[in-house]
Structures are given as C-alpha cells and as structure tokens.
Amino acid sequence: MADSRDVKVLLVGHCGFDSGLLTRAVAKALPRAEVVLVNTDEDLSPRLSPETILLVNRVLDGQFAVSSGIDLIAGVSGRAEAGPTLLISNYEDAQAEAERKGAMPGFGKNDVGTELAAERLREAAEVAMRGDG
C-alpha cells in the first residue's frame, strides 16, 4: 500500500453531503491524504498535479465549463500536470466511458466506504505516488 502522506485528493463537483461521505471514505483508505473540495474550474486548474487524485462526480455540481464529469475527465486526462482520475458514479456505462476517456476504474456512490472503493483509492494513490497519473 502507498504511503499516502504526500497524496492530495480533490473531490471535484460533489454536493456537500456526498463530499462528506467521500471525505470519510478517503480518510479510511488513505489516512494521511489531504482532501480538498473543488467546485469551480478556477479552483481545479491550479491544484492539478501528477501526485493529486481527482474523484470526479458524474454530474458536476458547482461552476465548471462542462456539466459532465466524463467531459471533465476527457479534458484533463493526458495532461502532464494531471494525476489519476476516478469517476464517482453507480452507472456502469458511465464508468466504461470515463475509462475510455482516460480515467482509472472508479466506483459508485453505493460503494463509498466499501473495500472496493478503498482498493480503487489505494490503486490511484500508488499511481499518484509514482507521479505518472
């Protein structure tokens, strides 16, 4: 398992309730990770780094140029400054599309707090710690 002390997790486009659930799930899986809520493009861009994990909502809350988390993933995937991205969605077709756009396997809101979510977070942390998001 990665030593998560230098990993930052951005919760991108989530409502307050979901952000709380995700923050607790991240703390359980990656106890030393820093969690930051991001709800605008202006907050997202300067926080991108290869060592930063993005947990992206399927339908973005906040003020973004796009409303779809999949479109956001497509826009950041492959950028040198972007770290691993995971879509948070219960829909399998959305997960598959996000992976085609460059995301790592994500998980659904129904899976928050489960071992599946923890494993996906730890896998993303391994990638982030290598800095090759």
Side-chain angles (χ1 to χ4, degrees), residues 2 5 8 16 32-33 47 51 74 78 82 84 91 94 97 104 108 114:
R5 73 174 164 268
K8 185 178 291 186
R32 295 172 53 156
R47 289 186 166 96
E51 297 82 24
Y91 297 106
E97 181 67 15
M104 292 184 66
T114 67

Side-chain angles (χ1 to χ4, degrees), residues 1 22-31 113-115 118 121-122:
M1 183 170 109
L22 288 166
T23 297
R24 288 188 291 281
V26 170
K28 183 178 177 184
L30 304 170
T114 67
E115 185 54 35
L121 289 165
R122 289 189 292 265

Side-chain angles (χ1 to χ4, degrees), residues 37-105:
L37 310 180
V38 175
N39 283 309
T40 67
D41 284 321
E42 292 76 25
D43 286 342
L44 178 61
S45 291
R47 289 186 166 96
L48 292 176
S49 80
E51 297 82 24
T52 300
I53 300 167
L54 281 70
L55 299 184
V56 181
N57 199 9
R58 182 180 61 86
V59 177
L60 298 172
D61 283 353
Q63 297 181 354
F64 294 92
V66 296
S67 61
S68 163
I70 295 170
D71 291 341
L72 186 140
I73 288 168
V76 299
S77 289
R79 288 172 50 182
E81 69 271 23
T85 60
L86 290 79
L87 183 70
I88 307 303
S89 173
N90 290 324
Y91 297 106
E92 290 181 29
D93 59 335
Q95 289 290 350
E97 181 67 15
E99 288 181 45
R100 281 192 293 276
K101 301 290 183 179
M104 292 184 66

